[in-house]
Amino acid sequence: MHKTTLLELFLSFFKIGAFTFGGGYAMMPVMHKEVVEKKNWASDEDILKILVISESTPGVLAVNSATFIGYKIRGFWGSLIATLGVVLPSFIIISLLSFFIIEFKDNEYVAYAFSGIRAGVAVLIFNAVFKLSKKIKKNWFTYLTIALVTLVALLTSISAIYILLAGAVIGIIYGLLLVKNGGEAHA
Amino acid sequence: MLELLQLFWLFFKIGLFTFGGGYAMIPLMQSEIVGGGMIDAELFVDFIAISESTPGPFAVNMATFIGMNQAGFIGAMFTTLGVILPSFLIILLIASLGSRFLDSKYVKHAFRGLKPAVIGLVLSVALMLAIRKVLPMVDLKTFHFNLTEFDYKGLIIMAVILGLTKLSKKMTPIGMIVLSAILGLILYGII
């Protein structure tokens, strides 16, 4: 069996980075095709493991996947090269685009288009809320937390980082109380 | 150099506190970068739209954009490195040492609170963007309710896009952005 070269690893992840839009879960089908079906670098089980780990750690899913698979194939350097590969297409494209945006920003029609786009982006983010909501348990605790966080974030200037830390703390308190009261089944 | 290190640290924090992928990063960037006065709110939304319509991970696109905007190419390198480093280090640790610490009951309990908190944060950004678009003079944070400017065209565009996404499951983010650009050109430019 031939040993995977770092170049091969880099090119595969470069391709994954270059051909997925939006990143995150949108990236998984392309990743699966390249890494599992074509190259045989990872199993379905590995992909599932990456998803489970990503659910319970912070960070960027594309980078998580590249680091995990790169490490599995070629250790530390593999993880570094795979991560570099998945990030580089974005970096190059956006660096180039930045120059054009400054150039076109003052164009009247570009301004009209972006005025419309700002309305579209609001809807885009509302849809993200619906999608995220499907993944959580629905009970008084989650509804109350969502409502409180929304109000605090809308009406105050408290940093999102502190709000998240507070969320983690009340999650721990709620979880410990649940276990203590034996109410896990209703959670 | 100090400015570059500050940019790096800012994006490192954003990477470290992003739970739940791409969109979950928007509230963090909103509060740290727009709230901190680094870029204005409109440009931030433009960056979101472009990052959604170009290939690659959303987080990297946003970091590169803001880095370029703040300190050019070198700035973009620092912000991108900052946003990916937490993921890289955490997964490296897990891949080499195993993921046993994730089975801790405290980690599991923390996510009971983190998940709804992320949803609340993303919802607040969506509401903020919608209000800022339709009623640009309203400022919720200072309880400033000036209703003199009402952008009904913005409201029409939102209603059309929302309606279409509910009717067709095939509507992609890029499709939504292109369509709202066309509607913007028609409603603001022609009518």
Side-chain angles (χ1 to χ4, degrees), chain A residues 68-83:
Chain A
F68 191 92
I69 293 165
Y71 188 88
K72 191 181 168 231
I73 303 298
R74 288 294 302 263
F76 173 77
W77 293 108
S79 66
L80 194 68
I81 291 296
T83 302

Side-chain angles (χ1 to χ4, degrees), chain B residues 25-179:
Chain B
M25 192 165 270
I26 296 175
L28 284 162
M29 290 186 168
Q30 163 90 34
S31 86
E32 299 301 304
I33 291 160
V34 181
M38 276 169 76
I39 62 172
D40 71 65
E42 282 200 342
L43 191 63
F44 181 67
V45 182
D46 297 348
F47 282 173
I48 295 176
I50 298 165
S51 295
E52 267 300 315
S53 328
T54 45
F58 181 76
V60 177
N61 292 351
M62 286 298 281
T64 307
F65 249 133
I66 295 165
M68 281 295 277
N69 179 270
Q70 291 294 307
F73 189 72
I74 303 289
M77 282 174 70
F78 274 79
T79 51
T80 302
L81 196 66
V83 89
I84 65 174
L85 212 54
S87 298
F88 182 74
L89 294 177
I90 289 167
I91 299 299
L92 206 59
L93 212 66
I94 288 174
S96 51
L97 299 174
S99 58
R100 255 161 303 151
F101 75 91
L102 292 180
D103 299 331
S104 142
K105 72 174 178 193
Y106 291 103
V107 173
K108 290 216 165 85
H109 288 331
F111 274 90
R112 291 176 190 272
L114 275 172
K115 283 180 185 170
V118 167
I119 294 173
L121 283 174
V122 180
L123 178 60
S124 76
V125 171
L127 289 169
M128 208 183 299
L129 292 183
I131 294 167
R132 193 183 288 139
K133 179 71 199 155
V134 181
L135 296 162
M137 301 300 282
V138 169
D139 187 349
L140 291 173
K141 292 199 199 291
T142 56
F143 294 98
H144 194 79
F145 295 99
N146 182 343
L147 305 177
T148 45
E149 276 185 42
F150 173 60
D151 182 357
Y152 69 95
K153 292 172 180 173
L155 199 60
I156 293 173
I157 296 172
M158 278 187 237
V160 171
I161 302 286
L162 187 66
L164 285 174
T165 53
K166 293 293 156 212
L167 285 175
S168 163
K169 293 269 173 236
K170 280 185 193 148
M171 191 83 156
T172 61
I174 305 171
M176 290 166 71
I177 289 166
V178 171
L179 202 65

